[in-house]
Amino acid sequence: SMGVNPELFKTTFSSNETIEATKKDFELSENLGIYSFPAILIKKGNKIHVITKGYDKFSKLEKKLDKLLLTKR
């Protein structure tokens, strides 16, 4: 059980709140053009930046993150 209460997990997983939250997450992903995982997104200010869709090497991620995080806007 890995420290997870199976009954609580089942109840939470199948709750309307969890189902709606999951739907919203998938809708957001689709709106951002993300159809593969893993995906890395960063919210900076009011804008969401897609860092990667799917697997990418760390060296590429590092460059993208540096560019985003070191710019003023």
Side-chain angles (χ1 to χ4, degrees), residues 6-64:
E7 287 303 314
L8 178 59
F9 177 84
K10 184 178 177 181
T11 301
T12 303
F13 185 77
S14 60
S15 73
N16 287 335
E17 183 179 343
T18 300
I19 292 168
E20 289 305 312
T22 302
K23 285 180 183 178
K24 285 177 78 173
D25 283 349
F26 278 106
E27 287 172 7
L28 175 61
S29 296
E30 185 176 340
N31 290 336
L32 293 170
I34 298 170
Y35 298 98
S36 62
F37 296 91
I40 298 175
L41 311 172
I42 292 184
K43 185 174 182 182
K44 186 175 180 185
N46 291 326
K47 187 172 181 186
I48 296 176
H49 301 268
V50 178
I51 302 302
T52 185
K53 300 177 196 178
Y55 174 80
D56 214 343
K57 291 184 178 186
F58 177 75
S59 58
K60 286 186 176 183
L61 294 175
E62 185 176 34
K63 289 176 187 176
K64 292 177 185 178

